[in-house]
Amino acid sequence: MITKRIIPCLDVRHGRVVKGINFEGIRDVADPVEMARFYNESGADELVFYDITASVEERGIFTDILKRTAAEVFIPLTVGGGINSLEDFDRVLNCGADKVSVNTGAIKNPKLIEEAAKRFGDQCVVLSMDVKRVDGSFHLFAKGGREDTGIDALEWARMGQEMGAGEIVLNSIDTDGVKKGFDLELLAETARLVSVPIIASGGAGSMEDFKVLFETLPRVDAGLAASIFHRKEISIPDLKNYLAAAGIPMRRL
């Protein structure tokens, strides 16, 4: 049986970890280097690092902070924000990332997914999707959830897999920071269309939310969260023990 992954997410702005609700009301939380060290020691399976304003500000990721963060972790590190070219992939990988997350850059140039998969391997290419319901449909949003592209998110997930994305991080704007559970409807619809690993993001508020996620949607490979881990509302060791006791196979217990 395939084990499930628990993944903390560092949303970084101006060198600090921040968190909001529904992608708004951003507040300062902590230092990313200290947080990375803490999660590496706490049994996290992977770590995600997003420079959340890089695309909006049309700049590259802050490589100095990324290098310092990467130096603290010995688990897979996925990095995203302002990834618009193969050179950006190369630069981030050289800073210590294991996988590169592309979002707005792929929307602007879908061939980037295919080109990156060919050069670096599809296991290195993570398609990050910020999704929100608009008039009853799932729309893909760009620039850190600020811009409605009008693109059908489910179709985009299918296309992303075809172009070579080896993994999809599905961020639900509707449930982000609300702490009332993952967006099971969105995740189920996406899992019906793709076969690559899916990481659920947005909405975790309790250990029960992770249990419901994995029991309801066996096709979902990982649960990603931020504020509940940052504020130590839930510890990763306690969460993993809880899930294992419920019969859900976990890594690094």
Side-chain angles (χ1 to χ4, degrees), residues 47-242:
L47 185 65
V48 169
F49 178 110
Y50 286 139
D51 187 334
I52 62 171
T53 58
S55 291
V56 176
E57 296 171 1
E58 298 184 347
R59 58 168 173 78
I61 285 176
F62 291 120
T63 53
D64 57 335
I65 292 179
L66 174 55
K67 286 179 181 178
R68 289 168 52 217
T69 302
E72 295 295 334
V73 299
F74 301 96
I75 53 178
L77 174 64
T78 298
V79 176
I83 306 297
N84 295 294
S85 66
L86 293 179
E87 289 71 26
D88 290 331
F89 268 82
D90 198 48
R91 180 167 50 85
V92 167
L93 291 170
N94 286 333
C95 285
D98 299 284
K99 295 184 278 189
V100 181
S101 175
V102 62
N103 187 333
T104 299
I107 295 170
K108 293 189 293 186
N109 175 24
K111 288 185 178 180
L112 178 60
I113 300 171
E114 183 178 2
E115 292 169 353
K118 286 180 179 178
R119 179 178 294 189
F120 304 106
D122 57 8
Q123 81 288 342
C124 180
V125 182
V126 178
L127 180 61
S128 179
M129 299 172 51
D130 296 330
V131 181
K132 186 176 182 178
R133 289 167 178 79
V134 178
D135 297 328
S137 299
F138 293 115
H139 281 208
L140 184 69
F141 277 64
K143 296 184 178 179
R146 293 170 174 83
E147 180 181 291
D148 183 357
T149 67
I151 296 171
D152 182 292
L154 301 178
E155 178 63 13
W156 179 246
R158 186 191 64 76
M159 288 175 56
Q161 174 179 271
E162 287 185 357
M163 289 184 288
E167 193 168 65
I168 293 174
V169 176
L170 203 53
N171 309 300
S172 173
I173 297 175
D174 293 313
T175 61
D176 175 71
V178 177
K179 298 185 180 180
K180 293 188 177 179
F182 292 96
D183 195 331
L184 300 180
E185 180 188 14
L186 170 61
L187 291 159
E189 288 295 307
T190 305
R192 191 170 52 82
L193 295 173
V194 303
S195 58
V196 296
I198 297 173
I199 299 173
S201 172
S206 67
M207 290 193 286
E208 176 74 12
D209 290 335
F210 287 89
K211 179 173 178 286
V212 170
L213 170 69
F214 294 133
E215 288 183 340
T216 305
L217 300 172
R219 271 280 294 110
V220 172
D221 296 81
L224 180 150
S227 59
I228 59 168
F229 295 144
H230 298 344
R231 298 190 181 109
K232 298 182 173 60
E233 296 169 19
I234 296 175
S235 80
I236 291 176
D238 286 349
L239 174 59
K240 286 191 163 188
N241 287 328
Y242 168 82

Side-chain angles (χ1 to χ4, degrees), residues 6-50:
I6 302 299
I7 305 176
C9 178
L10 306 181
D11 289 328
V12 179
R13 183 178 71 171
H14 306 312
R16 297 284 295 177
V17 177
V18 297
K19 191 67 186 109
I21 298 175
N22 304 130
F23 283 37
E24 297 178 352
I26 304 297
R27 292 173 295 179
D28 184 277
V29 177
D31 174 70
V33 180
E34 292 178 3
M35 294 290 278
R37 184 185 305 120
F38 169 74
Y39 287 129
N40 183 75
E41 296 170 351
S42 296
D45 296 301
E46 299 186 14
L47 185 65
V48 169
F49 178 110
Y50 286 139

